């Protein structure tokens, strides 16, 4: 940790000196920022993860269109330096407030909305080669875990099976968690806290010898890194349980292959072996959930089309089949719809059946 | 014819004469500029000022003109105009002011303000008809001469001056000049067709004149001269045969001093030689030795028709006197504080045998030009501003035919908008007005074309300036943006690297200078 911190600080120092030297040589100071968009990612079919391409854009100080972002990037670097030196962490939101000020004598704000500081943080990650967590900037924590595992975090030993109804709140930085004792056989990740609570109440993890983890919506980096580490270090298979709609499927996609905007982090975050346990379109038919379909909006339909065209889905017959069925369904089915089959249907029937039959989508 | 009959005829003749001048005026007041009280007030001022300017110019004197308009009751005004012109010799004074259609401007064409010699006496008559009062005229022709003062009316029966009072005195008075004072019925309003506007536009079109104007609301406005030399004197020329109508041609033939038809044509017209005159007679089958005063109407018409078909050299063009590009620009700069001006004096051209020239000046920006709304248009004919009937005028028509957008000037309904003042001056030995009111220039194709060319020339220059201005504004914004960010960046870098803020700032500022220079050479600015 200590050496890592030094490395990060050195890198920030280097970036600063780079700008100063360019100015000294009367060159327009600039950064090279890899482009974070669909056009600059490649799907590595062998590793089955999304990786960043080589396109980078140059960001200049003496450029009307760049100058604001340029300063924001430098200010984030300064923020990271201060945090590292004091050994403290702040959130993205707090980073926004820390950077937020009006340039004296003008009405120009260094950052106007959080999106700008968030982007600046991501830019700095790309420029420096260090992740946000390594820069001591955290995302909002979000997510819960429970199961047959004992961990150590900041000196505290925590048994995930003895945490009452709330479970263990997953911190934003899970890099330094140590796994002490593992009795789990797999990890079940779901996109809804409500489903997690249902399963937790039924002690699903106890019956099935597993770990259950939930986020609310898209999984945060902390959750992704935690699952990735458990998958890699503990060799636990990962099953993903999401709504039957393009957004749910994309949560699975991000978990498995990485995301487009964080393509540079795929190696650390993506879990290529993760499998989708449900809800599949076949489940919808099999369990007669059709009458719980909520009609798609235009944006949902076009999102399906986008997913269909992603490299990692494009050539997969069974995924294309799912998308086709989903389109024909003309609507989505949420995990919560399973409750109509019985309060403990999910924990007693649906999931055990699926796991037993290895009825997964990969 | 019996005696009785001839008596009746005589009686009729008497009554006919009795009504002549007053009735002539009543029937033609709209043609003479006295259609309504507001316009009448303007017309009186305008006739007097035009006369003063013409007289000064002719005498080579830089004009100093003082105009006072005083409201003495609801609909009554006292107008006085003092000039420093050459003055008028005593014997002429009553006739110039007290006799309609007296003047020397017939059959001699020159670029002058008054064209019909009807102006100032009509004002005197109007004053007399509306208030019953005579006009006061005071004049002196030189410092060693006495001051002559008259109170004059017009004898409407005879169209002859009637002197009410005549004084000669030595009293101190300016060295030379003329003063006229009249009381008239009228109405005063501000706005586009006001005396105020007329004075302002007169100052623009006569930048060599000092004008002082006291308005009915007792505001004293002084228009100082912008240049200290008079424009080149316009030479008078004989009419060109292609520019005279048959009626005028016939009248000229009756009044000529020439003894033969051939010499009449050669002497009284420009660009007709004796040889070509004889040739025209031959073609018209008229004996060239006939006495022109005794020609029958049919013969005259034959000659006239033949001349119109003949190719005749263009009239001389050196008889014209423009205001001048530099002078116009100066006037607009001074009167409007214009930020940019462009002017052009087009080379003279000819319409129907009359030489004419077009000058255009466009002023852009500055504090006294309205930012929004249609451009201010100043129409000028022989240095006289035209305030009425804009839509009938060739100048307005030409302005509407220009695609102002092409010159980065905004337009709405074909009319240019924005902080613009457009001055168009037509000068000619004969301005073709659309009507006797002398308010709008007739839109001959060649005149329209010349105005358009002039407008386009100036618009191009203004457009270039506007583009440059926009570029400079962008440049300025760029610079101030960079200057704002430099200390911020330097401050952050100091904290990161411990390099002194001042050092970093200095390097960045040096860099900024270079950056701005590079961009200036490049036109538009992105630094990639």
């Amino acid at each position: 940790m200590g050496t890592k911190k030094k490395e990060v600080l050195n890198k920030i120092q280097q970036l600063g000196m780079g700008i100063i030297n360019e100015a000294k040589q009367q060159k327009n100071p600039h950064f090279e920022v890899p482009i974070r968009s669909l056009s600059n990612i490649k799907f590595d079919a062998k590793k089955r993860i999304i990786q960043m391409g080589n396109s980078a854009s140059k960001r200049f100080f003496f450029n009307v269109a760049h100058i604001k972002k340029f300063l924001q990037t430098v200010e984030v670097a300064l923020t990271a330096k201060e945090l590292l030196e004091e050994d403290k962490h702040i959130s993205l939101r707090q980073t926004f407030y820390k950077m937020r000020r009006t340039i004296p004598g003008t009405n120009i704000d260094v950052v106007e909305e959080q999106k700008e500081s968030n982007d600046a943080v991501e830019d700095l990650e790309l420029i420096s080669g260090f992740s946000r967590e390594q820069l001591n900037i955290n995302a909002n924590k979000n997510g819960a875990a429970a199961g047959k595992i004992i961990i150590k975090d900041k000196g505290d030993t925590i048994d995930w099976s003895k945490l009452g109804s709330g479970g263990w709140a997953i911190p934003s930085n899970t890099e330094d968690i140590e796994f002490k004792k593992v009795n789990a056989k797999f990890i079940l990740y779901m996109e809804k806290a409500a489903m997690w609570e249902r399963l937790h109440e039924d002690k699903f993890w106890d019956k099935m010898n597993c770990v259950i983890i939930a986020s609310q919506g898209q999984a945060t980096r902390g959750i992704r890194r935690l699952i990735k580490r458990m998958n890699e270090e503990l060799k636990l298979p990962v099953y993903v349980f999401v709504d039957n709609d393009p957004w749910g499927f994309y949560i699975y996609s991000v978990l498995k292959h990485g995301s487009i905007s964080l393509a540079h982090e795929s190696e650390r975050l993506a879990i290529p072996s993760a499998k989708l346990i449900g809800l599949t379109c076949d489940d919808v038919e099999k369990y007669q959930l059709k009458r719980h379909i909520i009609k798609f909006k235009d944006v949902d339909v076009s999102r399906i089309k986008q997913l269909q065209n992603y490299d990692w889905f494009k050539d997969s017959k069974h995924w294309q089949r799912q998308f086709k069925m989903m389109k024909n369904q003309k609507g989505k089915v949420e995990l919560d719809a399973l409750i109509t089959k019985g309060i403990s249907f999910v924990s007693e029937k649906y999931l055990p059946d699926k796991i037993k039959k290895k009825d997964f989508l990969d | 014819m019996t005696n009785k009959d001839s008596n009746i005829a005589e009686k009729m003749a008497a009554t006919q004469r009795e009504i002549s001048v007053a009735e002539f005026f009543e029937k033609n007041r709209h043609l003479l500029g006295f259609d309504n009280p507001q316009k009448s007030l303007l017309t009186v001022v305008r006739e007097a000022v035009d006369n003063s300017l013409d007289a000064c110019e002719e005498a080579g004197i830089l004009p100093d003109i003082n105009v006072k308009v005083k409201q003495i009751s609801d609909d009554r005004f006292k107008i006085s105009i003092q000039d420093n012109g050459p003055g008028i010799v005593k014997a002429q004074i009553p006739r110039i002011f007290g006799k309609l259609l007296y003047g020397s401007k017939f059959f001699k064409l020159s670029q002058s303000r008054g064209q019909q010699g009807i102006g100032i006496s009509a004002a005197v008559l109007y004053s007399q008809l509306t208030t019953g009062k005579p006009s006061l005229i005071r004049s002196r022709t030189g410092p060693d001469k006495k001051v002559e003062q008259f109170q004059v009316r017009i004898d409407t029966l005879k169209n002859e001056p009637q002197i009410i009072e005549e004084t000669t005195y030595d009293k101190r008075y300016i060295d030379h000049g003329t003063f006229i004072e009249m009381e008239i019925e009228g109405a005063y309003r501000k706005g586009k067709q006001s005396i105020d506007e007329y004075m302002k536009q007169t100052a623009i079109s006569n930048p060599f004149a000092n004008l002082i104007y006291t308005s009915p609301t007792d505001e004293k406005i002084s228009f100082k001269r912008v240049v200290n030399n008079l424009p080149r004197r316009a030479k008078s020329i004989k009419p060109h045969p292609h520019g005279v109508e048959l009626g005028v041609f016939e009248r000229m033939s009756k009044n000529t001093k020439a003894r033969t038809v051939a010499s009449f044509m050669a002497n009284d017209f420009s660009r007709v030689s004796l040889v070509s005159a004889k040739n025209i007679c031959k073609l018209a089958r008229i004996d060239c030795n006939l006495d022109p005063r005794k020609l029958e109407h049919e013969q005259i018409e034959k000659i006239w028709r033949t001349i119109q078909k003949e190719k005749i050299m263009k009239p001389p063009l050196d008889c014209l006197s423009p205001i001048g590009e530099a002078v116009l620009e100066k006037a607009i700069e001074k009167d409007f504080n214009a930020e940019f001006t462009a002017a052009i004096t087009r080379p003279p051209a000819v319409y129907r045998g009359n030489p004419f020239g077009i000058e255009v000046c466009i002023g852009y920006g500055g504090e006294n030009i309205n930012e929004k709304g249609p451009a201010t248009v100043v129409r000028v004919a022989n240095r006289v501003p035209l305030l009425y009937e804009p839509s009938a005028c060739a100048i307005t028509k030409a302005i509407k035919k220009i695609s102002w957008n092409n010159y980065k000037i905004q337009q709405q309904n074909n009319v240019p908008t924005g902080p613009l003042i457009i001055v168009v001056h037509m000068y000619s030995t004969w301005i073709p007005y659309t009507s006797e009111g002398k308010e709008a220039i007739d839109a001959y194709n060649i005149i329209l074309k010349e105005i358009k060319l002039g407008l386009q020339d100036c618009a191009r220059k203004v457009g270039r300036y506007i583009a440059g201005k926009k570029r400079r504004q962008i440049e300025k914004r760029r610079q101030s943006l960079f200057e704002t960010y430099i200390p911020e960046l330097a401050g952050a870098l100091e904290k990161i690297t411990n390099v002194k803020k001042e050092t970093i700032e200095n390097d960045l500022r040096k860099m900024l200078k270079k950056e701005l220079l590079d961009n200036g050479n490049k036109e538009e600015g992105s630094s990639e």
Side-chain angles (χ1 to χ4, degrees):
Chain A
M1 176 65 184
T3 49
K4 198 76 175 177
K5 186 173 124 183
K6 214 170 225 168
E7 266 178 58
V8 182
L9 283 169
N10 277 344
K11 185 71 198 182
I12 291 172
Q13 168 84 7
Q14 262 175 37
L15 285 174
M17 286 312 294
I19 298 166
I20 293 172
N21 287 332
E22 272 184 307
K24 199 177 272 170
Q25 293 160 29
Q26 297 294 291
K27 284 184 195 151
N28 195 347
H30 80 285
F31 295 124
E32 284 208 19
V33 189
I35 295 170
R36 298 191 306 268
S37 75
L38 191 56
S39 66
N40 190 37
I41 56 155
K42 285 181 310 202
F43 180 61
D44 185 329
K46 228 177 180 178
K47 289 183 180 165
R48 305 198 67 191
I49 58 172
I50 296 167
Q51 286 192 313
M52 184 152 263
N54 297 321
S55 314
S57 62
K58 286 186 174 177
R59 180 165 304 156
F60 290 94
F61 179 68
F62 288 111
N63 181 311
V64 174
H66 299 174
I67 191 163
K68 189 163 194 176
K69 283 198 160 189
F70 190 99
L71 181 66
Q72 287 166 350
T73 310
V74 174
E75 293 262 342
V76 168
L78 175 59
T79 302
K81 183 193 148 141
E82 288 169 4
L83 289 170
L84 286 162
E85 280 171 354
E86 291 176 37
D87 237 339
K88 301 211 166 127
H89 295 74
I90 58 173
S91 71
L92 282 172
R93 187 70 181 159
Q94 288 161 339
T95 307
F96 164 65
Y97 278 111
K98 190 165 185 314
M99 286 170 68
R100 194 176 188 215
R101 69 195 159 82
T102 304
I103 297 176
T106 70
N107 53 6
I108 302 172
D109 289 335
V110 173
V111 280
E112 280 161 40
E113 45 183 285
Q114 194 186 330
K115 176 160 193 321
E116 292 173 325
S117 54
N118 286 1
D119 284 352
V121 171
E122 281 187 20
D123 284 347
L124 184 63
E125 288 187 276
L126 292 167
I127 295 165
S128 68
F130 293 106
S131 73
R132 189 173 71 202
E133 289 77 12
Q134 289 164 326
L135 299 169
N136 282 17
I137 296 168
N138 298 331
N140 291 334
K141 80 187 175 82
N142 149 5
K148 302 194 102 175
I149 209 164
I150 298 169
I151 62 151
K152 205 171 170 187
D153 178 25
K154 297 245 170 190
D156 299 334
T157 303
I158 299 152
D159 186 343
W160 282 12
S161 61
K162 292 176 177 157
L163 291 166
S165 56
W168 188 62
I170 302 168
S172 53
N173 187 348
T174 50
E175 201 57 56
D176 303 318
I177 307 282
E178 290 169 62
F179 306 110
K180 286 294 174 197
K181 195 177 173 205
V182 183
N183 278 329
K185 301 241 157 29
F186 64 91
I187 301 161
L188 180 71
Y189 162 81
M190 63 218 75
E191 68 160 306
K192 295 232 165 128
M195 180 54 77
W196 183 90
E197 285 191 299
R198 185 80 281 286
L199 293 177
H200 186 47
E201 196 175 48
D202 286 356
K203 291 250 189 293
F204 177 78
W205 47 267
D206 195 23
K207 285 173 203 152
M208 299 293 291
N209 275 337
C210 68
V211 169
I212 56 171
I213 293 176
S215 64
Q216 192 61 40
Q218 192 62 262
T220 62
R221 284 203 223 181
I223 297 174
R224 287 171 64 194
R225 181 63 186 152
L226 178 69
I227 302 174
K228 164 81 176 174
R229 285 189 55 213
M230 289 163 81
N231 171 255
E232 218 159 55
E233 295 168 27
L234 310 177
K235 308 280 180 240
L236 298 179
V238 177
Y239 307 134
V240 181
F241 192 27
V242 291
D243 284 347
N244 182 257
D245 68 12
W247 316 100
F249 278 29
Y250 190 65
I251 288 173
Y252 160 77
S253 167
V254 167
L255 220 59
K256 185 179 176 76
H257 304 296
S259 74
I260 292 165
S261 62
L262 289 178
H264 58 290
E265 288 278 49
S266 290
E267 297 271 8
R268 286 180 64 246
L269 299 175
I271 309 152
S273 64
K275 291 177 175 55
L276 185 95
I277 193 166
L279 272 175
T280 62
C281 295
D282 302 292
D283 294 339
V284 173
E285 291 192 350
K286 188 173 168 194
Y287 298 105
Q288 298 109 38
L289 298 171
K290 276 205 164 154
R291 62 198 179 90
H292 302 299
I293 287 172
I294 299 170
K295 247 187 140 189
F296 280 144
K297 297 190 180 107
D298 289 349
V299 52
D300 301 321
V301 177
S302 56
R303 186 70 185 130
I304 296 174
K305 276 181 201 153
Q306 283 174 350
L307 292 190
Q308 279 182 306
N309 287 323
Y310 286 146
D311 281 347
W312 47 99
F313 288 133
K314 209 166 58 187
D315 300 323
S316 160
K317 271 187 195 154
H318 60 273
W319 279 111
Q320 292 299 330
R321 181 175 156 269
Q322 286 292 322
F323 292 129
K324 209 173 158 189
M325 288 169 79
M326 198 183 272
K327 270 193 205 168
N328 291 338
Q329 259 170 233
K330 295 194 173 68
K332 63 175 176 184
V333 182
E334 293 178 319
L335 292 182
D336 308 282
L338 287 165
I339 209 75
T340 58
K341 300 281 138 193
I343 293 171
S344 292
F345 173 74
V346 180
S347 63
E348 285 166 8
K349 178 91 172 96
Y350 176 84
L351 288 170
D353 276 6
K354 281 238 158 186
I355 290 161
K356 204 165 144 196
K357 290 184 196 154
K358 293 197 186 315
D359 183 9
F360 307 127
L361 277 173
D362 186 9
Chain B
M1 210 190 279
T2 63
N3 261 352
K4 206 179 168 186
D5 287 338
S6 73
N7 278 344
I8 291 166
E10 268 168 32
K11 272 182 191 163
M12 274 178 65
T15 47
Q16 277 160 1
R17 265 178 62 198
E18 197 174 322
I19 59 166
S20 63
V21 176
E23 196 185 34
F24 167 80
F25 182 86
E26 274 309 324
K27 278 189 175 158
N28 295 294
R29 56 186 298 167
H30 60 287
L31 301 178
L32 303 173
F34 297 93
D35 346 17
N36 59 58
Q38 190 195 350
K39 195 169 173 189
S40 299
L41 190 65
L42 173 66
T43 300
V44 170
V45 172
R46 184 170 134 173
E47 292 295 355
V49 172
D50 284 358
N51 273 8
S52 291
L53 287 168
D54 266 344
C56 287
E57 233 173 272
E58 216 168 303
I61 298 166
L62 283 169
D64 282 319
I65 299 171
N66 192 343
V67 178
K68 283 183 190 162
V69 182
K70 203 176 166 191
Q71 185 152 14
I72 49 180
S73 73
D74 258 7
D75 59 349
R76 268 211 192 175
F77 294 83
K78 193 176 252 178
I79 296 170
S80 67
I81 291 105
Q82 169 74 62
D83 69 37
N84 66 336
I88 303 163
V89 293
K90 186 181 177 183
Q92 295 275 33
I93 294 172
R95 265 176 286 176
I96 286 176
F97 294 92
K99 186 173 165 71
L100 248 55
L101 295 162
Y102 180 82
S104 56
K105 286 166 185 166
F106 288 98
F107 309 133
K108 188 188 85 176
L109 296 176
S110 74
Q111 176 196 328
S112 65
R113 293 173 181 79
Q115 260 180 5
Q116 286 132 319
I118 204 163
I120 195 63
S121 49
V124 172
L125 180 60
Y126 174 74
S127 156
Q128 175 180 330
L129 291 175
T130 54
T131 69
K133 298 211 168 156
S135 298
L136 176 81
I137 295 109
R138 197 182 294 143
S139 190
R140 189 182 205 177
T141 54
D144 52 338
K145 299 281 173 23
K146 292 206 159 76
V147 180
E148 307 292 347
Q149 181 174 299
F150 285 89
Q151 289 204 47
V152 183
R153 294 168 53 92
I154 296 174
D155 180 341
T156 52
L157 298 175
K158 298 182 197 144
N159 183 22
E160 283 298 334
Q162 196 179 353
I163 298 164
I164 308 297
E165 199 189 277
E166 182 183 344
T167 344
T168 300
Y169 56 94
D170 261 331
K171 195 168 73 174
R172 266 188 293 167
Y173 184 63
I174 52 170
D175 285 356
H176 50 81
T178 304
F179 173 85
I180 178 165
E181 185 179 87
M182 286 178 263
E183 203 175 307
I184 65 161
E185 214 176 83
Y188 172 73
R189 247 168 245 129
K190 299 228 175 223
K192 276 187 175 176
Q193 296 172 337
S194 63
I195 305 181
D196 306 34
E197 188 63 30
Y198 163 78
M199 292 303 293
K200 191 172 172 187
Q201 296 193 8
T202 301
I204 295 169
S205 37
N206 299 274
F208 47 85
N210 258 344
L211 304 175
I212 298 169
Y213 162 58
T214 311
S215 76
T217 49
D218 215 26
E219 290 165 90
K220 192 170 172 180
I221 307 163
S222 155
F223 302 92
K224 291 239 161 64
R225 66 172 58 94
V226 180
V227 286
N228 282 315
N229 37 326
L230 284 165
R232 193 178 65 204
R233 267 183 71 179
K235 287 183 212 155
S236 58
I237 56 164
K238 293 171 195 163
H240 190 273
H242 288 172
V244 281
E245 278 154 23
L246 178 56
V248 177
F249 188 77
E250 185 163 359
R251 215 157 68 219
M252 286 173 76
S253 74
K254 301 295 180 217
N255 291 328
T256 183
K257 285 173 189 159
R259 303 247 186 89
T260 68
V261 178
S263 61
F264 160 60
M265 285 190 281
N267 291 346
D268 291 8
F269 293 91
S270 66
R271 301 306 198 201
V272 184
S273 68
L274 201 57
V275 178
S276 59
K278 281 178 180 167
N279 189 40
I280 288 161
C281 291
K282 210 175 181 183
L283 288 167
R285 295 187 188 167
I286 302 282
D287 182 353
C288 66
N289 290 317
L290 288 178
D291 183 342
R293 282 161 294 198
K294 290 179 182 160
L295 288 176
E296 300 284 322
H297 176 75
E298 286 71 25
Q299 292 173 307
I300 287 170
E301 187 169 344
K302 250 188 202 168
I303 297 170
W304 184 80
R305 290 205 180 282
T306 313
I307 290 184
Q308 300 309 313
K309 278 183 232 151
E310 272 303 278
K311 265 199 178 159
I312 296 171
M313 210 179 160
K314 282 182 179 178
L317 301 174
D318 59 352
C319 55
L320 298 176
S321 166
I323 299 172
E325 295 169 2
V327 177
L328 265 174
E329 285 191 36
K330 255 191 181 172
I332 296 300
E333 273 163 27
K334 184 187 149 268
D335 288 343
F336 289 89
N337 257 329
E339 177 185 309
F340 179 79
T341 53
I344 184 161
T345 301
R346 300 270 316 148
V350 177
Y351 80 92
R352 279 194 45 209
N354 297 302
F356 77 99
I358 295 295
E359 289 180 289
V360 177
C361 180
I362 299 183
Y364 172 83
E367 44 197 291
N368 294 339
I369 301 180
N370 282 341
E371 270 289 334
K372 282 172 187 164
T376 306
V377 176
V378 175
R379 300 176 291 131
V380 187
N382 282 354
R383 301 207 182 100
V384 179
L386 307 176
L387 300 188
Y388 283 83
E389 289 183 46
S391 55
C393 185
I395 292 171
T396 313
K397 287 177 182 170
I399 287 173
K400 287 188 172 179
K401 279 190 176 167
I402 306 273
S403 294
W404 294 92
N405 287 334
N406 291 351
Y407 305 101
K408 300 201 158 52
I409 295 169
Q410 293 181 326
Q411 67 181 76
Q412 230 169 37
N413 308 327
N414 296 327
V415 179
T417 61
L420 286 176
I421 172 158
I422 301 173
V423 181
V424 180
H425 178 213
M426 172 173 180
Y427 50 102
S428 174
T429 49
W430 189 262
I431 303 278
Y433 291 108
T434 53
S435 71
E436 292 301 314
K438 297 201 280 181
E439 300 292 354
I441 298 167
D442 213 346
Y444 284 88
N445 278 337
I446 175 85
I447 295 175
L448 269 181
K449 185 183 148 201
E450 281 296 314
I451 299 173
K452 270 177 68 183
L453 288 171
L455 286 168
Q456 282 164 334
D457 187 276
C458 292
R460 248 192 304 280
K461 292 175 198 158
V462 171
R464 233 176 282 145
Y465 174 78
I466 293 173
K469 189 182 170 185
K470 282 203 180 122
R471 211 162 46 236
R472 282 190 297 281
Q473 274 172 351
I474 290 171
E475 232 4 80
K476 226 176 156 184
R477 271 205 296 272
R478 266 169 61 82
Q479 185 176 355
S480 86
L481 183 74
F482 292 151
E483 278 171 357
T484 303
Y485 272 88
I486 283 174
E488 299 302 312
L489 178 66
L493 287 173
E494 182 184 44
K495 287 181 197 156
I496 291 176
T497 61
N498 287 326
V499 176
K500 276 241 152 27
K501 186 180 172 190
E502 289 70 31
T503 318
I504 306 169
E505 267 190 49
N506 275 344
D507 285 340
L508 287 171
R509 278 189 212 289
K510 239 190 270 167
M511 179 71 213
L512 171 62
K513 246 182 224 161
K514 187 182 152 225
E515 174 69 17
L516 289 172
L517 270 179
D518 285 356
N519 258 312
N521 301 336
K522 249 198 292 171
E523 274 275 344
E524 256 301 88
S526 134
S527 36
E528 274 140 298

